[in-house]
Amino acid sequence: VEIVFSKVKWYISGTGFYLPPRVVSNEEMSKYMDTTDKWIQERTGIKERRYVDPGVGPSDLAIPATEQALNAAGLTVKDIDFIIFATSTPDYYAPGSGCLLQNKMGFGEIGAVDVRVQCSGFLYGLSIAEQYIRTGMFKHILLIGAEVQSTAMNLTTEGRDTAIIFGDGAGAAIISKTDENRGIMSTHLHTDGRYVKELWLESPSSKSGHPRITGKDLHEGKQYLQMNGKEVFRHAVTRFPEVIWEALDANNLKKDDIHLLIPHQANLRITQTIQKKMGLENNQVISNIHKYGNTTAGTIPIALGEAVEEGKVSKGNILVFASFGSGFSWASAVVKW
Ligand code: COA
């Protein structure tokens, strides 16, 4: 039997995003730890981030983002065939946040899968959506990137290098089949597990014995996200340009063809270094980290949603997405809008 892969095209038919209302300024951070607004802005570009109130999970943040994306696509929950929920901070250990969202928004009894690839979660999710649409299995897929990182931060001087960086937020995109000459051109995925411990959250852990988290673990701060900032920075500024060039080369594109590069919002200095290394103009590169910090899987769909809302994206534009984060895992995608 000959298998013929379909030439089905797929595109982003709607975007949306949502940030919790509570703004946490650098000034406020300096009340919890020995830091200053000046230090944070100089080293990271971040002015403020958003934190949820207790009781709010990524599946809650995903609801308004999804509603906005469905509206933009002219679709309802009934039209969606599948949910892909990218998060490294799920509401619960089990079941996944996609399952919670299915119930909260009244989707049909469709499949829902969580993707845990941290800062690259949204792009991994995009590549999964790509495969389902290409094979003709699904017509419309909801892809979420949402995080509640605030509850994994050590809000004392001990945790200050990591705590100032991360925030909460959600972005959504609807991925749909199309017959038009547009859409997602390629996705590129990588990991290198040698660096697991450079950016990780150790506890609770299923392999640590009974119970999965002990008083000793808590005392040692294993419930907090731990980051070796210098090592992450060093790898990020190499991997980002590498994976962006890979995406451009795969599609015979040049850097000047990029209308917008939407990099994962890790740190303003990382974004500036990518821009410089690649020789891109200011207006080609999106940065919104000053407002939200690093929302992990949320940053790319939030930045995309904002760019669309601000009218920065028109049909036919070439967009490049790129990410790097815990794992290490990194990825890119090229989209003809
Ligand atoms: N406020 C004030 N001082 C701080 C601080 C804070 N929030 N965090 C760290 N410091 C101190 C350190 O303790 C250190 O003090 P010392 O010299 O007395 O030991 C000094 O500032 C320099 O620390 P260092 O870690 O060398 O700073 P840095 O220039 O590497 O900046 C990061 C730290 C975290 C901002 C930087 O490494 C970074 O951005 N890394 C990448 C992080 C990232 O993008 N993560 C997400 C990837 S998905």
Side-chain angles (χ1 to χ4, degrees):
V1 182
E2 197 188 346
I3 298 173
V4 181
F5 285 102
S6 75
K7 289 253 163 50
V8 176
K9 294 192 186 69
W10 51 298
Y11 78 122
I12 298 176
S13 59
T15 57
F17 62 100
Y18 178 75
L19 283 305
R22 190 179 157 215
V23 176
V24 179
S25 65
N26 291 344
E27 195 66 31
E28 182 176 340
M29 295 303 269
S30 71
K31 292 186 183 132
Y32 309 136
M33 58 193 72
D34 183 10
T35 191
T36 62
D37 174 46
K38 186 169 178 287
W39 194 96
I40 300 173
Q41 284 207 49
E42 276 176 12
R43 300 298 177 108
T44 69
I46 298 165
K47 293 185 173 154
E48 57 191 39
R49 71 284 297 140
R50 303 294 184 94
Y51 278 10
V52 296
D53 293 318
V56 176
S59 68
D60 301 305
L61 299 181
I63 295 172
T66 301
E67 284 167 349
Q68 197 186 348
L70 284 170
N71 274 339
L75 300 172
T76 73
V77 290
K78 290 194 177 62
D79 299 308
I80 299 298
D81 303 314
F82 193 60
I83 298 168
I84 303 174
F85 200 115
T87 183
S88 61
T89 55
D91 298 61
Y92 303 116
Y93 217 80
S97 295
C99 188
L100 305 186
L101 188 68
Q102 182 276 335
N103 176 47
K104 285 177 181 171
M105 292 193 66
F107 286 97
E109 291 174 353
I110 55 174
V113 65
D114 276 26
V115 172
R116 287 181 50 223
V117 200
Q118 304 67 248
C119 300
S120 296
F122 185 79
L123 295 187
Y124 271 70
L126 200 64
S127 78
I128 295 169
E130 170 182 21
Q131 306 313 318
Y132 280 125
I133 302 233
R134 267 192 204 285
T135 58
M137 184 157 167
F138 298 132
K139 268 216 244 21
H140 300 291
I141 296 176
L142 168 65
L143 172 59
I144 302 287
E147 304 277 356
V148 169
Q149 284 287 15
S150 53
T151 48
M153 296 299 119
N154 179 353
L155 294 176
T156 70
T157 296
E158 202 185 345
R160 65 183 176 175
D161 59 326
T162 310
I164 50 139
I165 288 184
F166 292 89
D168 305 337
I174 313 290
I175 317 300
S176 299
K177 181 174 178 286
T178 180
D179 298 324
E180 291 183 74
N181 183 26
R182 63 187 299 196
I184 293 145
M185 297 167 74
S186 65
T187 51
H188 307 270
L189 312 176
H190 299 279
T191 53
D192 187 342
R194 281 179 296 170
Y195 302 102
V196 166
K197 296 187 181 180
E198 304 301 344
L199 180 49
W200 72 325
L201 202 158
E202 193 178 357
S203 273
S205 155
S206 57
K207 62 184 245 179
S208 74
H210 284 105
R212 287 179 174 173
I213 188 162
T214 62
K216 185 167 171 284
D217 293 333
L218 291 169
H219 185 70
E220 290 170 4
K222 289 184 180 174
Q223 72 279 25
Y224 297 126
L225 187 67
Q226 311 278 336
M227 180 180 73
N228 178 353
K230 275 201 170 15
E231 195 66 2
V232 172
F233 197 101
R234 197 168 69 79
H235 285 262
V237 295
T238 307
R239 293 309 193 181
F240 267 113
E242 207 176 271
V243 80
I244 296 166
W245 285 122
E246 180 184 347
L248 292 176
D249 289 348
N251 296 286
N252 290 318
L253 294 169
K254 298 188 188 64
K255 70 175 172 72
D256 296 341
D257 296 322
I258 301 177
H259 176 70
L260 281 183
L261 168 66
I262 304 187
H264 166 59
Q265 305 289 303
N267 178 315
L268 182 62
R269 285 189 305 144
I270 292 179
T271 301
Q272 286 169 339
T273 308
I274 304 167
Q275 182 182 336
K276 199 166 161 219
K277 278 193 171 182
M278 295 198 60
L280 297 170
E281 304 295 329
N282 285 341
N283 62 6
Q284 284 179 289
V285 184
I286 289 279
S287 174
N288 66 0
I289 195 163
H290 55 289
K291 293 187 283 187
Y292 311 131
N294 177 340
T295 55
T296 315
T299 76
I300 292 177
I302 292 170
L304 173 64
E306 273 196 342
V308 170
E309 197 174 77
E310 290 166 9
K312 290 182 180 162
V313 188
S314 309
K315 201 168 167 184
N317 287 162
I318 297 291
L319 269 53
V320 176
F321 306 128
S323 64
F324 177 87
S326 161
F328 293 139
S329 301
W330 61 105
S332 60
V334 184
V335 172
K336 186 177 173 199
W337 197 257

